[in-house]
Every structure is written in C-alpha cells, then in structure tokens.
Amino acid sequence: MIDLYLCHGHVYVWNASAACDLRERHRIVGTFVGALPRLPRQNVRLGRPLQLMPEETTLLLNKGIARLLDGNIPPKTGEDASQAITEHRQQSFREQAEICKNDRKRKLHEMASVIAKGRAAKRKKLAQKEKADDKSSSSVSTSDVASSTWDQHEEEEEPRLSGEEMKELEAKLEKTTGYNEQAFLVQIMTEQDSEETQETIPWNYPTTDTEALRCRVFQDLWEKGYFLTSGGKFGGDFLVYPGDPFRYHSFYIAVCRPRTENMEALDIVRLGRLGSNVKKTVLLCSESETGEVNYTSLQWTGLN
C-alpha cells in the first residue's frame, strides 16, 4: 500500500521507492515539485515530493493501490527522537569527512608526477641562479655547457616523488581539519519512522460533473495501457503517451467535453489547428448515456 499525503489541497508522495513503483508498475507519472539538495537554485531538474493530479489520486484510491493520509499533522518528536536525529547527522558528517579525505589522498597520488615536475623545475631554477651568481665561473661558455647538461639530464630522467616526500604530503593531509559542516549533505527526513498507524482521511473528489468526466476519461485511457500527464501546456486536459514520457512523445491531446455541450465551429477549427501545429491528434472525450467513454479524433487536412 502506497501512502499519499494530502497537504493544503495537494496530494504528495514523499517516499522514493513509492514514486518509482507508481511510475514503473502503475503508469502514474505525477510531477516532481521539490528542489534537489545539490542544485537548489534551479528548476530544470526537480526532486521529491511527487505531486499527483486529482485524477491520479482518484484512480489510485479506487483501485486500492494507495491510501490517503493527512499531511498537515506534524510528526511526533521527543527528546529520544531528536537525539537520534542529531547523532545520525553527526555520524553522517564524520563519514563524509572521511570520504572527502580519502578522495583528496587519491587525487594527491594522481598528481604526484605533476608535483614532482614542479619541484624539479624549481630546483633547476635555483641551480641556474646559483651558477649565474658564481663569480668563480671561468667563462660564460662553461655555464652554458653546464646548463645544457642539466637540461639533458632532466629530459632523460622522469622526476618522481620519493617515499619520504609522499609520506610528508600525506601527513600534512591527515592534519587537515578545516572541513565545514555546512558544506556537506544533510539528510532530510520526509517520513515519520514510527510504528504507530495513521488513520486514512476521505478524498472529496470529484465534486462536479466536469471533474467526474475528467476522472472517467483518465481511468478509461489508463486502463487501455496509456500514460497520462497534464495537458494544460497544449490547451487540453491530458496528454496521452503510448509509453513512458521519458522515452516517447505524446500521441494525443485529450479534451473532455460533456456530450450535451454545444461546440462552435471556431472551437473545433482551433483544436484541429492546435493538434496539427504540435503534430498530435486531438481527442474529444465525452461520456455516453450508458456510461461508456466516446472518443472523436480531430485531424487537420488540406482542401483540394
């Protein structure tokens, strides 16, 4: 049973495995509305919680896949729970600090050749400076020969750090204690870890004929094996996908209209041109007298 939380009129899914289960097993997509911990100041990629449409929530409750809980009730916390959370965060900080230190040690070994070359170049410059200041040098040509000999020696032997030098660098790294706790990840508790059972609450949707028609159309298309998302961006009620929206484009724009509602010709033309421009088929969805869902497709074609 998947737990859905109703908070201020919206239904959310906080559990990560439950969100994956909804998408993979039940073809319920939803919309992520939470910020990512590592990238909080952007809205291209979002994370938990997963917000569900009212039609998705109604379907899950009718099929017995999920239960609805009150998300406005604050979790019960005491001194033991607060102490456990504090210890957990401190342990997480120590583990992340150790991982960071090991990562720096690994990078140190990877950059050992670069450090050795830098130290060799520094020693070479100091040697050249000492020879240039040596007044006992017999001639400039002798200095040039010595310099060329040094360069040839440096080219023949690849500079490497000795074992003592590497131990010295690792010792300095071990003494590093300047890790800022605010720079590490903090686990945010999104569910209450408690053995207490929370009572379900009623779901008051749909309340109008239009909402009931949307729920009926959504359930009928879902039972046919389609994935559905909100179609507000394309002027419809739902976007209908043949598979997961991560892999497929939508084929249809579902527009829910009561069978007794009159539609003007301009509205039909508008929907037909809209579907043609976005390369999708518009579906006019209505419910018959027997309760079945009828579909009328609109496709824009040229006149000869």
Side-chain angles (χ1 to χ4, degrees), residues 180-195:
N180 187 1
E181 189 172 351
Q182 297 180 354
F184 289 96
L185 297 177
V186 177
Q187 182 178 359
I188 300 176
M189 306 299 178
T190 57
E191 285 189 323
Q192 183 177 357
D193 186 11
S194 176
E195 298 180 356

Side-chain angles (χ1 to χ4, degrees), residues 3-47:
D3 291 338
L4 310 179
Y5 293 90
L6 178 63
C7 184
H8 301 290
H10 300 286
V11 179
Y12 302 100
V13 178
W14 285 97
N15 188 277
S17 59
C20 294
D21 190 42
L22 285 176
R23 192 182 192 102
E24 296 173 358
R25 295 184 55 189
H26 306 293
R27 303 193 312 279
I28 298 298
V29 180
T31 304
F32 285 105
V33 296
L36 296 177
R38 297 298 296 269
L39 299 171
R41 293 179 177 86
Q42 55 85 35
N43 58 359
V44 179
R45 290 287 183 268
L46 299 177

Side-chain angles (χ1 to χ4, degrees), residues 213 216-217 220-221 224 285-288 291-295:
L213 177 60
R216 184 71 183 89
V217 172
D220 186 72
L221 290 173
K224 295 180 184 298
C285 311
S286 60
E287 191 173 9
S288 65
E292 297 180 355
V293 179
N294 296 329
Y295 301 97

